[in-house]
Amino acid sequence: MNQIVTIGLDLAKNIFQIHGIDACGKVVVRKPLRRGEVMKFFAGLHPCLIGIEACATAHHWGRELSKLGHTVRLMPPAYVKAYVKRGKTDAADAEAICEAVTRPTMRFVAVKSMEQQGVLMLHKTRDLLVRQRTMLINALRGHLAEFGIIAAQGTAGVKAAIEAFHAMQDSLPTLARKALHGLIKQMRIVASEIDKIEKQILAWHRNNAASRRLAVIPGIGPITASAIVAAAPDATLFSSGRSFAAWLGLTPRSHSSGGTEKLVGISKQGDSYIRRLLVIGATAVIRRARQDSASKNWAAKLLTRKPARLVSVALANKTARIAWALLARNQAYTAHVGAA
């Protein structure tokens, strides 16, 4: 076992698979391990390189194995798939991971700390609750419309619809009243939980210097800034701002052949949550650019030639590159940087 220099670890719920090789590439160990045996097995090895797919529980195992002195590298599963020779088995996956982690051009995922994962859990929980609130509002509007209660869109419209319902609820069927009261109660509970989570995110943002620096960028607020800092703890893993924007899925997808270069639309292959936040922020900036009619503003100039939705994605791309520059170089945002 002391000859092992590289191990591919295929994670699972209960049965893990390992594939270990020596310095010459010869297979030294290939066997399954139960969950309770994993730490005991790696504790008995000399420090080695361990490759893991960046999937569920990967960051936990990355932290635990690093404590034993091993070098842990997480890789996107899509990049590992190309090294699977044939068939889909745990042993084949572990072998592919072991081979992929040794490739010099492989791209790795930084192991997140428990604090960073905690912040991301707040964001994911908030995102889930926001979607649930939207579902509840849509259901409430649809049910009220069956009784002729129609209201405008937005928060004010929901409030007006609820007030109209309370005003005429005595004339509605008993079962309908109970159902609508249940929706309204659940909607208020979800809204309260969203407010609590946003306060917790804001508190974390105020105590994080990197997050505060990003929040100064137009189109980025505390929610987006904290999500970027937690999701990309080490910006230097990206070679450039474009690489960071590509990781978020904000760059065109290349489809080139025979020396002919062709770009076919935004890839959307990346972190959909942060990408959505950046596009929403860019949309708000564009709205202000239209109102101010600033001829020197980059977005305002682009709006004269391109549709608003295209400009919002382009501005989100630009914002992501600025965010990467601030994180990678440990700099503060200035208006001159934003106008570049």
Side-chain angles (χ1 to χ4, degrees):
M1 290 298 179
N2 295 335
Q3 300 174 348
I4 298 177
V5 296
T6 306
I7 289 182
L9 175 61
D10 184 48
L11 301 181
K13 292 181 179 179
N14 297 310
I15 306 298
F16 296 62
Q17 182 74 34
I18 63 170
H19 183 94
I21 60 175
D22 60 15
C24 298
K26 181 180 179 181
V27 179
V28 178
V29 59
R30 180 192 292 141
K31 67 176 182 178
L33 292 175
R34 291 193 173 273
R35 173 179 290 273
E37 301 172 340
V38 175
M39 293 302 294
K40 182 179 179 181
F41 173 81
F42 284 100
L45 297 179
H46 284 292
C48 61
L49 174 63
I50 302 175
I52 303 176
E53 286 184 325
C55 56
T57 73
H59 292 279
H60 163 72
W61 288 109
R63 290 191 298 266
E64 295 300 314
L65 294 175
S66 295
K67 293 177 183 178
L68 299 177
H70 299 292
T71 302
V72 181
R73 294 286 183 265
L74 305 186
M75 299 167 290
Y79 295 164
V80 177
K81 185 177 181 181
Y83 295 92
V84 178
K85 294 181 174 61
R86 180 177 293 181
K88 175 66 177 72
T89 64
D90 292 343
D93 290 345
E95 181 181 356
I97 294 171
C98 184
E99 182 176 352
V101 74
T102 62
R103 298 299 92 196
T105 57
M106 177 55 62
R107 299 175 182 177
F108 300 106
V109 178
V111 178
K112 294 181 177 62
S113 66
M114 295 180 68
E115 180 187 4
Q116 290 164 342
Q117 284 198 293
V119 177
L120 289 176
M121 285 182 185
L122 280 178
H123 278 278
K124 296 299 184 181
T125 303
R126 174 187 174 274
D127 187 43
L128 173 63
L129 293 176
V130 168
R131 285 186 277 116
Q132 289 180 345
R133 181 177 62 182
T134 302
M135 294 170 63
L136 290 168
I137 290 174
N138 290 339
L140 180 64
R141 285 181 177 276
H143 293 322
L144 290 176
E146 296 296 331
F147 298 104
I149 301 177
I150 307 296
Q153 294 182 353
T155 305
V158 175
K159 184 178 179 181
I162 294 175
E163 292 176 351
F165 162 67
H166 286 308
M168 63 174 297
Q169 63 178 335
D170 293 337
S171 62
L172 299 181
T174 302
L175 295 179
R177 289 202 307 270
K178 291 182 177 180
L180 294 172
H181 275 299
L183 285 177
I184 294 172
K185 179 181 179 181
Q186 188 64 29
M187 186 175 63
R188 288 171 175 168
I189 292 174
V190 171
S192 176
E193 291 299 318
I194 292 174
D195 291 338
K196 292 179 182 178
I197 291 177
E198 289 180 347
K199 289 179 181 178
Q200 293 171 349
I201 293 176
L202 182 59
W204 186 88
H205 161 76
R206 289 172 175 170
N207 293 324
N208 187 281
S211 184
R212 292 198 305 271
R213 290 203 310 273
L214 294 187
V216 183
I217 304 173
I220 292 183
I223 299 293
T224 307
S226 58
I228 291 175
V229 172
D234 186 5
T236 59
L237 288 176
F238 302 95
S239 59
S240 64
R242 190 189 186 284
S243 297
F244 181 66
W247 177 69
L248 295 174
L250 285 169
T251 56
R253 183 165 53 88
S254 178
H255 188 77
S256 306
S257 179
T260 302
E261 295 186 1
K262 183 178 181 181
L263 300 178
V264 287
I266 301 301
S267 69
K268 297 182 182 180
Q269 297 175 341
D271 194 312
S272 60
Y273 176 67
I274 297 179
R275 181 173 65 248
R276 185 169 71 251
L277 291 177
L278 287 172
V279 172
I280 292 173
T283 303
V285 172
I286 288 174
R287 187 178 298 113
R288 294 186 60 183
R290 279 176 164 171
Q291 293 173 352
D292 298 340
S293 299
S295 59
K296 295 182 180 181
N297 185 282
W298 184 83
K301 289 182 178 180
L302 198 57
L303 279 171
T304 61
R305 299 180 284 111
K306 300 294 182 179
R309 180 53 62 192
L310 187 150
V311 177
S312 65
V313 176
L315 185 57
N317 183 316
K318 184 180 179 71
T319 303
R321 297 184 185 212
I322 295 173
W324 173 85
L326 298 187
L327 292 175
R329 301 167 187 170
N330 196 24
Q331 295 176 344
Y333 174 81
T334 62
H336 177 71
V337 174

